[in-house]
Amino acid sequence: MNIDELDLDYRLLRLFLTIYDEGSVTAAANRLGVGQPTVSHGLDRLRQIVGDPLFVRSGRGITPTAHADEMAGRVRILLQDLRNLKRVDAFDPNDPAQSARFVIGTNDYEVAVIMPELFRIIRGYAADIRLRVLPIHGDTNVIDRLRSGQLDLAIGLHMTENVGDIAQQTLFREHMACFYDADCHDVPPDTLDQYCAVPHARVIIGNNEHSAVDEMLDAIGRKRRTVLQASTFASIASLIRGTDVIASLPSRLERDVMTGFAKCTFPLDFPEYSFAQSWHVRNAASAPHKWLRGEIFKVTRKLV
């Protein structure tokens, strides 16, 4: 008889493997919690499908045929693959048998302010958890990469566009501050005149030349002289140290990237801005993803 794969369901294959492991129809029935006639009926059906007796009498017990021995390994793998299709409803980071891989899109501000504490916490768990951190540039870039699956999660400025298939969670708010080398300035550049009189460095991420600070100055008829532009905050710190150049940067960078620099109030009424984590809705119910988002949220609660 030809095998019809549609007749080989999970329960029938599980029954076969239980008989194979127990070496007894009665023991298999007890293990499965069903009556012996049920197991015998299922075995008869399986024999008809595969065209082999599978188990034959040997003394007072049964023994698998050569075909049953060949089937057992493949059925064991197949059953595990079928179990893996079920959505995981829990992720236990303390279980060394569990694993997770995440690709996070972010930039060096978030790498400096959030990621060290997050990574330290992750390394304290027993599960095999691995991160890949990639740079992101602009809302459209982030949305496309979340949709395509190139990114599992993005951490950055709160996206202004409301996109139905992208979820966001606000993490914390930030404000601007002026950083400078105190050895090169007699007075802090905390007034608008002093601010505009000194040379500036700025960070522009990506290919755009947009600067909200310069737009605010233009709106009130003032200018600043930018002598240095870089794509990362870390490079700004190393380049302006020991010079009279100042940088207008997010205030929390004083804890790491801008350690050793003096800080003063930003002399413009620059509004606070929010950082958020974003993900595609297909990952909303994933247990490992929910766990990671929860860990990130807990880390950022310390920044509020």
Side-chain angles (χ1 to χ4, degrees), residues 23-24 56-63:
S24 164
V56 296
R57 293 209 169 272
S58 175
R60 301 180 66 178
I62 59 174
T63 189

Side-chain angles (χ1 to χ4, degrees), residues 204-218:
I204 300 291
I205 298 173
N207 296 321
N208 70 74
E209 292 296 318
H210 172 76
S211 168
V213 172
D214 290 316
E215 289 181 355
M216 290 188 71
L217 288 169
D218 286 341

Side-chain angles (χ1 to χ4, degrees), residues 88-105:
V88 177
D89 291 321
F91 177 73
D92 182 2
N94 290 308
D95 182 356
Q98 297 209 29
S99 63
R101 307 288 184 271
F102 302 106
V103 182
I104 301 177

Side-chain angles (χ1 to χ4, degrees), residues 92-94 120-129 291 295 298:
D92 182 2
N94 290 308
R120 184 190 65 78
I121 291 171
I122 286 175
R123 292 302 301 155
Y125 287 118
D128 181 15
I129 304 165
W291 170 82
E295 292 299 310
K298 285 190 290 186

Side-chain angles (χ1 to χ4, degrees), residues 56-288:
V56 296
R57 293 209 169 272
S58 175
R60 301 180 66 178
I62 59 174
T63 189
T65 66
H67 187 62
D69 283 333
E70 292 175 1
M71 282 179 55
R74 287 181 290 168
V75 169
R76 206 178 300 277
I77 293 171
L78 179 60
L79 290 181
Q80 185 58 52
D81 287 343
L82 289 172
R83 293 186 194 103
N84 290 341
L85 292 176
K86 182 179 182 294
R87 192 184 81 194
V88 177
D89 291 321
F91 177 73
D92 182 2
N94 290 308
D95 182 356
Q98 297 209 29
S99 63
R101 307 288 184 271
F102 302 106
V103 182
I104 301 177
T106 192
N107 290 307
D108 74 325
Y109 169 82
E110 297 84 0
V111 167
V113 173
I114 300 172
M115 297 304 293
E117 176 69 5
L118 176 66
F119 192 61
R120 184 190 65 78
I121 291 171
I122 286 175
R123 292 302 301 155
Y125 287 118
D128 181 15
I129 304 165
R130 306 185 191 184
L131 303 182
R132 185 182 180 197
V133 181
L134 301 177
I136 53 175
H137 308 302
D139 288 3
T140 301
N141 174 278
V142 173
I143 292 169
D144 289 345
R145 292 167 73 186
L146 288 171
R147 281 175 173 162
S148 70
Q150 294 177 29
L151 297 177
D152 296 313
L153 185 74
I155 307 173
L157 290 174
H158 200 290
M159 290 186 286
T160 55
E161 184 180 1
N162 185 16
V163 183
D165 59 339
I166 303 297
Q168 285 193 93
Q169 181 185 36
T170 300
L171 298 174
F172 60 93
R173 297 181 67 79
E174 177 63 289
H175 64 275
M176 296 289 281
C178 290
F179 292 92
Y180 62 96
D181 190 325
D183 291 337
C184 302
H185 287 271
D186 294 330
V187 294
D190 55 359
T191 68
L192 187 57
D193 287 340
Q194 291 166 339
Y195 180 83
C196 292
V198 297
H200 290 257
R202 69 177 186 177
V203 176
I204 300 291
I205 298 173
N207 296 321
N208 70 74
E209 292 296 318
H210 172 76
S211 168
V213 172
D214 290 316
E215 289 181 355
M216 290 188 71
L217 288 169
D218 286 341
I220 59 174
R222 302 297 295 264
K223 298 281 184 186
R224 66 173 177 171
R225 183 167 59 95
T226 299
V227 298
L228 173 66
Q229 178 173 308
S231 59
T232 65
F233 296 105
S235 58
I236 288 286
S238 60
L239 288 168
I240 71 170
R241 194 179 302 275
T243 76
D244 61 344
V245 178
I246 73 167
S248 304
L249 304 173
S251 66
R252 286 188 177 88
L253 289 177
E254 70 175 329
R255 303 176 183 179
D256 33 70
V257 172
M258 301 307 292
T259 297
F261 284 86
K263 185 181 80 166
C264 67
T265 303
F266 188 65
L268 291 168
D269 188 18
F270 197 94
E272 287 191 339
Y273 45 97
S274 297
F275 284 84
Q277 57 179 335
S278 308
W279 62 94
H280 194 272
V281 292
R282 68 171 171 274
N283 291 324
S286 165

